[in-house]
Amino acid sequence: MQTLSNASRRNFLKVAAAAGGGLFLGFNWFEANAATAVDAATTDLSLAGNVPGAVPGVGFNSYLSINPQGIITIMSPNPEVGQGIKTAFPIVVAEELDVDWKNVIVEQAPLDTKKFERQVAGGSGSIPHSWTRLRKAGATARQMLMEAAAKRWNVPVTECTTGTGFVRHTASNRQLSYGELATEAAQLPVPADVKLKDRKDFKLIGQSVKNVDNAGIITGKPLFGLDFYREGMLFAMLQRPAFGYTLKSFNEAAIKAMPGIVDVLTFDNNVAIVGKSTWQVRKAKEALKIDWTKTDATESTDDHNRIFGELLKSDKATVRRKDGDVDTAFKGAAKVVTAEYQCPFLPHNPMEPMNFFAHVRPDGAELVGPTQTPELARNEAAKLLGLSPDKVTVQLTRMGGGFGRRLKADYAIEAVQVSKRVNAPVKVIWTREDDMTGGSYRPAVRYRFEAALDAQGNMIGYKLRGASINAGSSTREDNFPAGAVDNLLIDSIDHKSAITTGPWRAPITNFLAFAEQSFLDEVAQAAGKDPVQFRLDLLDKAKTKPAGAVKYDIDRMKAVINMAVEKSGWGTKKGADGRPVSQGFSVYFSHRSYVAQVGEVVMQKDKPVVQKVVAVADCGIVINQSGSRQQVTGCIVDGIGHAMYGNMTFKDGIPEQSNFSNYRMIRLNEIPDVEVHFVDNGFDPTGLGEPSLPPAGAAVANAIFKATGKRVRNQPFIEDAALKSVL
């Protein structure tokens, strides 16, 4: 390790003579990072990260190995989609192992359902599921290392301590490195029970740690699916039908005759072009002339607006929750507030379009690529090929975004189908247009809310109906304010469409939260109450006199509200000109976490501009301050951007937006300052990759109302009739 350390010091500052006689100063910005393996495809617990000169290590468990040189390799089994899990998982293991982070190498583990559980990136569930497992993995190895040292020194293990990769015996002033103990420690019986660290003793968890892939990303290392290359592989692109269309015919002979084209296939209404290079395949795809047959299943956005109206009036909705006597409450109300909120279809638009590599052989198949659900890809491939799942391997690459789109395995199975048909290794690549027009989308929804107030402005009745297109259930019946209103009715009704939909970052709640939290502001205004206090009063009611089940933690929700009020200067903040800042509030519970946000809007040239968002999150113990703050910030930017600008429309089943030239995304100059705070309560970690997105839209919408007096009820905001005059 001394050699590596010296090399690192030399890399930190390099001084060299430039050709002109001056000095060239070079800095290594990645010194604080754990190292990363060069070639993820060779991942194996017996390897020490492919470090030059390193010898194979010994595996203590599925998560880590240590070699005699003291190099510690920690496996990160879950897919890395940009949420920082490839850094966070090893941090937890390294903390309990009590090792210096600089001596850790992180490798992406392949799919292995025997060694690992839940190798999935979705639902913000990776850390909650693996928190204790990861800690035990590190603590178990640490205990075995101490036992090996105690045995060598012939002292009680209780007299041994650890720190920065060494076992120490203070009484005799002796110490041994983990590398010196690794071989004999790994041969000891695995302890059934190990003691985990007290939180007060954490040295790594809760600090800011740079992402382990930073250096590779910035220097262009091949980390992503699109980077993957195998000598001799072919490339394929597919033309998929619009929604509600079937393939009739196409100019097959002309396409096959084009340069570099190896084959042209049809399956599942798709036309697949296979060739020797991406460019040749792309040019052939552009030359396709396809005759499609239109079916009765095609729909347009105008049809959806009509369908929403019918669904909201329908008597066939499914009741999700009913408390008290709703009809009586509304009949006796002093005031009734009614509003409808609507959200459109949205594409996922990850920076890296869908792609996957497959090599199907008679005895098995190899899959490599970016997937949030590698086990699903393996199982679907095995089913298609008639193989046992253990005959299909899946190697994970880093993903350039996913946001739920890569929970599906359709693009991986396309690669499997093409590889099988052409009997060669194949990489399927989607273009940006394919990615945006080929599905799957966030479902479109319209919500109708009704609230009944008594003479004192108390909400005594609440009704919510979700009318959706391909969402299934578009409501969350146990979310706040459920449990805080004596008389409550929540139901939903869904329309089945040929337009394919799927999970979109923070499924359902990504648009439900905007509607719910905006409507609560409307009710608070009608009641003549401060919107924050209105929510706090409802939470007090849920705690002292709950109406039915309360499935959220009232105290944790109140804690994020109160901190957000404090940190944002709610109701008292003034701008540089001395005028009050227009603030909007929102709070939401999803994916086991609580997030409150205050949006700040200022008027510039008579137009509302989102200036700042103050966010307070309760996600339990924060593992990596750096990664966690980036997650909250990213969620808020994503939430605001899509609420204000995102819109996917259809004409006769054909998407009307196909690239960023006609699909509006938030721009750099429109991103507000985001101030992030965490509640430090010591609870086990909960989700963070999604919970900060749902409340973002409402925080901004409520601030816009404060600034303009215009209530926005439709996404995207820029197309809402109430705001067109001021945006």
Side-chain angles (χ1 to χ4, degrees), residues 171-349:
S172 61
N173 196 29
R174 288 179 288 181
Q175 70 174 20
L176 289 168
S177 72
Y178 285 180
E180 294 174 280
L181 295 166
T183 301
E184 55 197 281
Q187 296 171 357
L188 296 175
V190 177
D193 295 303
V194 293
K195 187 178 186 305
L196 301 179
K197 278 187 178 182
D198 290 330
R199 187 186 174 214
K200 63 180 176 58
D201 296 324
F202 286 168
K203 301 170 186 174
L204 189 57
I205 291 175
Q207 303 303 309
S208 288
V209 179
K210 294 178 181 178
N211 191 291
V212 296
D213 280 340
N214 276 358
I217 292 171
I218 295 176
T219 57
K221 293 293 190 297
L223 303 174
F224 299 89
L226 279 175
D227 297 327
F228 181 83
Y229 178 79
R230 176 72 55 77
E231 188 69 32
M233 74 179 185
L234 299 174
F235 297 85
M237 290 186 180
L238 279 70
Q239 181 60 60
R240 302 160 188 85
F243 303 102
Y245 290 77
T246 58
L247 177 65
K248 185 176 181 182
S249 63
F250 68 101
N251 55 334
E252 182 176 359
I255 299 302
K256 284 185 175 180
M258 293 185 70
I261 301 306
V262 174
D263 206 348
V264 180
L265 315 171
T266 60
F267 57 87
D268 300 335
N269 267 332
N270 302 315
V271 177
I273 302 172
V274 187
K276 297 179 180 179
S277 73
T278 306
W279 177 253
Q280 290 170 322
V281 172
R282 176 69 185 260
K283 297 305 290 183
K285 183 173 184 287
E286 292 173 351
L288 275 173
K289 296 179 180 178
I290 301 180
D291 187 8
W292 301 101
T293 298
K294 181 180 176 181
T295 70
D296 293 335
T298 59
E299 292 177 352
S300 300
T301 297
D302 289 343
D303 297 322
H304 299 153
N305 291 329
R306 171 184 53 79
I307 290 167
F308 281 141
E310 294 171 353
L311 295 178
L312 289 178
K313 297 175 183 177
S314 175
D315 59 0
K316 297 181 180 179
T318 300
V319 174
R320 303 293 176 180
R321 175 165 176 165
K322 187 174 182 180
D323 297 328
D325 187 341
V326 178
D327 291 340
T328 299
F330 274 84
K331 286 178 182 177
K335 183 181 292 186
V336 173
V337 183
T338 303
E340 291 184 8
Y341 287 77
Q342 185 164 322
C343 309
F345 288 101
L346 289 180
H348 295 79
N349 284 338

Side-chain angles (χ1 to χ4, degrees), residues 352-426:
E352 177 192 22
M354 302 303 108
N355 66 91
F356 226 81
F357 169 87
H359 186 188
V360 177
R361 306 177 306 273
D363 61 340
E366 177 191 11
L367 305 182
V368 182
T371 171
Q372 294 178 244
T373 52
E375 187 176 3
L376 176 65
R378 182 196 67 178
N379 292 347
E380 290 196 7
K383 182 179 179 181
L384 174 70
L385 299 171
L387 296 171
S388 170
D390 61 6
K391 298 296 184 182
V392 180
T393 63
V394 182
Q395 177 63 50
L396 306 177
T397 64
R398 188 180 177 95
M399 286 172 269
F403 315 115
R405 177 61 183 91
R406 288 187 161 99
L407 288 170
K408 292 188 174 184
D410 54 318
Y411 56 100
I413 300 307
E414 288 177 349
V416 173
Q417 289 175 302
V418 176
S419 177
K420 181 182 179 182
R421 292 275 293 273
V422 300
N423 194 30
V426 171

Side-chain angles (χ1 to χ4, degrees), residues 315-574:
D315 59 0
K316 297 181 180 179
T318 300
V319 174
R320 303 293 176 180
R321 175 165 176 165
K322 187 174 182 180
D323 297 328
D325 187 341
V326 178
D327 291 340
T328 299
F330 274 84
K331 286 178 182 177
K335 183 181 292 186
V336 173
V337 183
T338 303
E340 291 184 8
Y341 287 77
Q342 185 164 322
C343 309
F345 288 101
L346 289 180
H348 295 79
N349 284 338
M351 184 176 292
E352 177 192 22
M354 302 303 108
N355 66 91
F356 226 81
F357 169 87
H359 186 188
V360 177
R361 306 177 306 273
D363 61 340
E366 177 191 11
L367 305 182
V368 182
T371 171
Q372 294 178 244
T373 52
E375 187 176 3
L376 176 65
R378 182 196 67 178
N379 292 347
E380 290 196 7
K383 182 179 179 181
L384 174 70
L385 299 171
L387 296 171
S388 170
D390 61 6
K391 298 296 184 182
V392 180
T393 63
V394 182
Q395 177 63 50
L396 306 177
T397 64
R398 188 180 177 95
M399 286 172 269
F403 315 115
R405 177 61 183 91
R406 288 187 161 99
L407 288 170
K408 292 188 174 184
D410 54 318
Y411 56 100
I413 300 307
E414 288 177 349
V416 173
Q417 289 175 302
V418 176
S419 177
K420 181 182 179 182
R421 292 275 293 273
V422 300
N423 194 30
V426 171
K427 183 173 182 179
V428 165
I429 298 176
W430 290 40
T431 65
R432 172 58 60 196
E433 289 79 7
D434 292 334
D435 213 48
M436 196 175 291
T437 63
S440 88
Y441 304 101
R442 180 187 81 169
V445 178
R446 184 183 294 175
Y447 292 107
R448 184 181 66 203
F449 294 88
E450 297 176 67
L453 299 174
D454 64 15
Q456 289 74 44
N458 300 308
M459 187 160 63
I460 58 173
Y462 180 88
K463 290 194 286 187
L464 164 61
R465 168 168 292 187
S468 58
I469 298 174
N470 278 3
S473 175
S474 56
T475 57
R476 292 291 182 264
E477 60 272 14
D478 295 322
N479 282 8
F480 177 77
V485 186
D486 290 330
N487 308 289
L488 175 143
L489 173 63
I490 297 177
D491 61 25
S492 65
I493 186 168
D494 191 54
H495 167 75
K496 299 302 179 185
S497 169
I499 298 172
T500 54
T501 61
W504 193 96
R505 194 175 191 178
I508 305 300
T509 58
N510 59 63
F511 45 85
L512 176 59
F514 153 68
E516 285 180 335
Q517 289 295 305
S518 296
F519 180 67
L520 284 179
D521 259 40
E522 291 202 53
V523 179
Q525 182 191 16
K529 297 182 178 181
D530 174 81
V532 172
Q533 191 59 51
F534 183 73
R535 289 168 173 82
L536 289 171
D537 290 345
L538 284 171
L539 287 168
D540 287 340
K541 165 69 168 59
K543 187 165 187 176
T544 58
K545 296 180 180 179
V550 178
K551 296 188 178 181
Y552 46 89
D553 190 309
I554 295 169
D555 292 333
R556 293 180 73 173
M557 184 171 278
K558 289 181 68 174
V560 295
I561 292 174
N562 289 328
M563 184 180 287
V565 166
E566 173 196 349
K567 298 297 183 181
S568 67
W570 174 258
T572 62
K573 188 169 184 178
K574 295 183 179 180

